[in-house]
Structures are given as C-alpha cells and as structure tokens.
Amino acid sequence: MTARGIRDEPDADDLDVEEALALVKDQPHPGRAGEHVPAPATGADSPDDQYTGDRHKGDRHGGTDRRSDGRNGGTDWRSDGRNGGADAPGDSGRSGRETRHARHKATPWPEARAIAARAGRARAGRDTTVSVSLTDALGLSLAAPLTALTDLPSFDTSAMDGWAVAGPGPWDVRETGVLAGNAEPEPLSDGEAVRIATGARVPADTSAVLRSEHGRTDDKDRLHATREIVPGQDIRPRGQECRKGDQLLAAGALVTPAVLGLAAAAGYDTLTAVRRPRVDLLVLGDELLTEGLPREGLIRDALGPLLPPWLRALGAEVTSVRRLGDDAEALYTAVTTSEADLIVTTGGTASGPVDHVHPTLRRIGAELLVDGVKVRPGHPMLLARLKEDQHLVGLPGNPLAAVSGLLTLAEPLLRALAAHPVPERYSLPLRDAVHGHPHDTRLVPVVLRGDHAVPLHYNGPAMLRGIAAADALAVVPPGGAAQGRETEMLDLPWATGGIGVCFT
C-alpha cells in the first residue's frame, strides 16, 4: 500500500494519529438508535488541545497535521503573507489552543467540493466540444441537443410476424412475402393478403396486420382470421416515435448505451459531445515498488493501479501515468510541461524534507484554491489553479486518504469539466454508530444492505481493505453519527454502474 510514512500507534489501526489522540479521552459508547454520539472532549486538558503541531515532523502518511510552515490546510503560503490572517501552527510562543484553532482553518468538506465544482464549470465549454463517432461517444455528455434527422419509424412497418391484409376477409394470399429490408412492396387490393415479417415495410392500402397465431388457411389456401381485426392493428405508423426535427434529448444528456441506440436509429453517425478531460497522473515517492513483495523499507505502490481506472470512471482520459519518485526538479518539469486539463499528484502534500508539491506550486506561482480540507482521512489534500484552463489536485500518499481526496476534489472538478450531471444526493440510516472527529467530516466505507448502511472496519488512512469491499462512503459529520442516523452516502462507481460500464 502507498502509505507515505510509518505508523507506530498499534491501537490506532483505523484512525490517524490525531483522531486516535482525540478519541482517547472520554470515549463514548456506541449510541442506540436515536441517540447522539458525543464528540470526544476538547477542553483545555484534552489531547487535541495539547497538540502543538510539531508531532511527527515530516510525516507523510496523509493523516497528521503538518509542522510549522503554514501548510496544514486552509492557509496560504506563510512566507509571502497570503495566509488569510491565520498564523502557521507551531509558531514560536503560540499556545496549544491557538494552534488548534489555526490548524482548523482548513476548508470545510462541503465547501471544498463546491470550490472544485466551480473550478470545473469555469473551464467547461472552452474548446471542449468534439465530434465523435458513436463507437467513441459512450460516457460523454452531449454538447448539442439530439434532434431527429428522420421520422421514426421512417415508414409504416409491421409490428408482428403475420399477414398484411386489405379489406375484410377471407383473403387470397400472394405467393411472395415481404421481409424486413425489402424495397417498397406492391400495394394490396381488397381481399388480398401477403406474408410479412416484423419490421418489414407495410404495403400501401394495408388495413391491418394479422398475427400468425390469429390466422388459418383453408383447403383453397384462403386466409381466415380467428379473431376480430381492428383497423391499423399491429402496424407502427411512420413518425409514431418522433418526426424529423423533434428534439430527442437536451444538451448535457449523458451518452449511455440506450442513447447510442436512439442516435443511430435517428440517423446519426457522429455526435457533438463534451470531450473527456485529460488527466496526467504523477506518482511520487522513492519508497514505492511496482512489483513483488515489500522489502528493505520499500512498499508496493497501490495508487498507481487504483487511480487511472477510477479517473476513467469519473469521465477522464488518463493521458499519462508517471512515477517521479521524490525528485523536485522532475516534479517541476512534469507540472510545467503538462498539457492536461488536470494534473493529479499522489503524496508529497505535507511539509517533510522530500514533500515537494507545495514548493513546486509556489515556484510556478500557482493559485491555491483549497489547501487542506476538514475531512478524515486525507485532510492535507489540495487544489490549485496552475493556468486559466489547468488545475492540479494533490492527493495524500496514503491510499484511503487519496481516495478521500479523489472524491472530495477531483470528482466534482472532473464532473463539471465533462458536463456530467450532478448525482442526486441521498441518505441511509447507519446500522452501527460511527465515531466522529471533533472538528472534521469523516468518510467511512460502508456496504449497503437493504435500507441500511453497514460501516466497515479497516478504514484508516493507509488501508484499502475496507474500501475494496465497500459500496459507498458514509459522510459522517463532526462529532459522529449514532446508530440509525440518516447519513449522506457517496456511491462508488462500480456499485451503481457495474465494472464494465464504469471502467471501459
């Protein structure tokens, strides 16, 4: 797994360091249905108040607050005075309580998602329209209304296998039948019938189609109806579904397999759509292996395999995946030469000696839109505007923390860039109580069972075991959620669309 640091708290395997410290004192028992789960104590004597911001200096595991350079979430660069008035945590002479308040200047989770969506909408529509074949259009959003190029159906067709008949029966049956794809058949005369297949063009002057099971022939080969025939029966008239020029779908509609079928039926070979946002993925960290077992202080890279298909599921085109290690110049070159709409980095968002994301953003004069989010795991995530039409999302290095950053910042931004519809929000009651962080939102993997969500274990920043089994993430508010509390859910792509739909 891609943990960017080593955890040495054996009892905190589902919490990051600060969460574990905050939950040590006055640990509440899980609440029963309808009960409030109190937040851990945060008074002057609580561990959270005593935290001074310099614990685990240089720690890069995606869960702890950062040391005293002002880059711990929500504050701008301290060195040039753009820190919004908040001094950096750990400044000389600053008390633990003051440090705690500064530390929690990070952007609230809902606001961070809104900022990311606005950033994407500001870019959407600028040189993003493409004409693509139906084969390549799946998953895109229409950039123009889908207007029928022909009547549907474009001629009267038979809805059933049987006989096309004219006038009252019995009928003389022609020797040659009418099949789908045949040229226009000869008109029928009263008292005449012809064998016809489903989808075949109905001869002129046809009164109705008599289904095969509703007719019989006598010994003179004359056709008789075994039940009453209604004029127009089992004929699909021209233009029954739409007329040429009718709007079938509005701009912004997501191109699904059904939309591809409708477009083809309506006469389209290509569609005008919003192109996929291009994403470059930069995997940082000298400690990462791409194969084999962990060894000699090296660990397997989990995010390299995890992120590209997930980004594609969010509507992106992953244009490159580059492994840069902990090389500041390589990162600078990769960022400044990228032509992608979005650059995603993994790890390096803290303030350790080899955490180069913030220094690189300062070096190129990037505008920080989000610098830390009040969410666990993953609060050191960031969003920066590099150019008018280019952004960077910095994900923490720990796997579940990175997933949190992906859903918090990358997903709303990519959805807006791709002009995908905003999913409808929904909530489910929790089967079990979930402890919360005193100040921050928590994202907890859950499985959906009937009308409840079941929280999963193994939900610490460095863990993927919980998310691998999950259907969704529960958005747990600060202070926690009692058993039975209605809690917002974030669906995971494969839970709603299926693996094949999402990742191809």
Side-chain angles (χ1 to χ4, degrees):
M1 301 180 68
T2 325
R4 300 295 308 266
I6 304 301
R7 179 190 302 277
D8 54 14
E9 287 78 18
D11 296 326
D13 56 355
D14 70 337
L15 300 170
D16 71 11
V17 173
E18 186 180 354
E19 285 176 295
L21 291 170
L23 294 174
V24 165
K25 189 169 182 178
D26 296 334
Q27 177 68 55
H29 295 289
R32 294 182 294 275
E35 287 185 348
H36 174 63
V37 178
T42 57
D45 297 328
S46 73
D48 188 60
D49 270 348
Q50 296 168 7
Y51 187 81
T52 60
D54 59 359
R55 222 179 241 107
H56 298 279
K57 286 186 172 70
D59 185 86
R60 300 154 60 214
H61 71 80
T64 61
D65 285 288
R66 305 305 169 201
R67 58 176 177 162
S68 56
D69 64 350
R71 287 178 276 147
N72 70 331
T75 58
D76 244 319
W77 317 115
R78 182 165 62 91
S79 60
D80 61 4
R82 289 183 285 128
N83 67 346
D87 288 324
D91 278 351
S92 172
R94 185 163 296 275
S95 70
R97 177 178 294 277
E98 289 171 316
T99 297
R100 175 168 61 88
H101 288 307
R103 187 171 66 254
H104 287 287
K105 293 295 184 181
T107 305
W109 182 78
E111 183 181 339
R113 283 171 58 84
I115 290 170
R118 285 197 299 271
R121 286 194 296 272
R123 164 68 178 135
R126 300 178 186 172
D127 303 321
T128 59
T129 298
V130 292
S131 179
V132 293
S133 68
L134 298 188
T135 303
D136 297 326
L138 183 66
L140 302 183
S141 290
L142 294 177
L146 188 72
T147 302
L149 302 179
T150 182
D151 297 341
L152 282 182
S154 53
F155 45 78
D156 293 349
T157 60
S158 176
M160 302 294 294
D161 292 333
W163 296 269
V165 300
W171 301 274
D172 294 321
V173 181
R174 288 182 186 173
E175 291 185 3
T176 303
V178 182
L179 301 177
N182 286 172
E184 184 175 4
E186 292 293 322
L188 290 176
S189 302
D190 279 355
E192 192 176 22
V194 64
R195 267 283 183 185
I196 194 166
T198 301
R201 189 167 186 161
V202 171
D205 300 324
T206 296
S207 303
V209 170
L210 178 65
R211 300 184 185 189
S212 296
E213 62 269 28
H214 296 162
R216 63 174 181 82
T217 55
D218 59 21
D219 54 5
K220 296 180 181 180
D221 290 331
R222 288 172 61 79
L223 175 65
H224 298 261
T226 60
R227 61 176 60 186
E228 182 181 0
I229 294 179
V230 177
Q233 173 180 300
D234 289 326
I235 294 175
R236 292 186 63 219
R238 176 174 181 167
Q240 181 185 51
E241 185 169 3
C242 67
R243 290 291 185 181
K244 180 179 179 180
D246 286 353
Q247 180 174 305
L248 305 177
L249 292 169
L254 187 66
V255 179
T256 64
V259 170
L260 292 176
L262 175 62
Y268 285 85
D269 299 317
T270 62
L271 292 174
T272 302
V274 178
R275 69 165 172 80
R276 300 181 192 279
R278 296 182 297 258
V279 176
D280 284 346
L281 175 61
L282 308 179
V283 180
L284 312 182
D286 287 340
E287 74 275 26
L288 303 179
L289 295 169
T290 58
E291 60 183 12
L293 295 174
R295 63 181 184 273
E296 299 172 350
L298 303 178
I299 58 176
R300 280 296 297 271
D301 169 31
L303 295 180
L306 180 153
L307 288 173
W310 204 321
L311 289 164
R312 286 193 288 270
L314 297 178
E317 175 190 354
V318 180
T319 46
S320 71
V321 178
R322 301 179 60 187
R323 302 175 187 278
L324 304 183
D326 287 318
D327 186 326
E329 285 303 314
L331 176 61
Y332 173 79
T333 300
V335 169
T336 54
T337 59
S338 172
E339 297 182 354
D341 303 295
L342 174 64
I343 300 168
V344 174
T345 63
T346 68
T349 58
S351 57
V354 290
D355 289 332
H356 301 305
V357 174
H358 280 93
T360 298
L361 295 176
R362 286 200 300 273
R363 182 177 175 185
I364 64 177
E367 178 189 1
L368 270 176
L369 302 179
V370 174
D371 188 15
V373 177
K374 297 180 71 171
V375 66
R376 303 301 171 118
H379 83 278
M381 67 184 74
L382 62 85
L383 170 63
R385 181 183 288 117
L386 308 183
K387 305 173 186 174
E388 186 179 12
D389 58 354
Q390 187 181 56
H391 292 82
L392 181 145
V393 167
L395 302 178
N398 266 337
L400 189 57
V403 168
S404 174
L406 185 71
L407 295 178
T408 300
L409 297 177
E411 188 270 341
L413 188 145
L414 287 171
R415 185 180 64 237
L417 286 175
H420 283 179
V422 179
E424 184 177 352
R425 295 174 60 178
Y426 76 100
S427 299
L428 286 176
L430 296 173
R431 192 192 70 176
D432 307 311
V434 176
H435 295 302
H437 188 274
H439 313 284
D440 300 351
T441 300
R442 266 190 94 195
L443 301 181
V444 177
V446 296
V447 291
L448 308 183
R449 294 292 180 264
D451 58 354
H452 283 74
V454 182
L456 295 171
H457 300 295
Y458 306 104
N459 53 31
M463 299 181 179
L464 285 175
R465 187 171 171 181
I467 194 71
D471 300 315
L473 288 171
V475 182
V476 178
Q483 177 187 10
R485 175 169 175 171
E486 291 277 340
T487 306
E488 182 181 353
M489 298 290 144
L490 297 178
D491 280 328
L492 301 177
W494 54 88
T496 53
I499 294 294
V501 172
C502 289
F503 299 105
T504 56

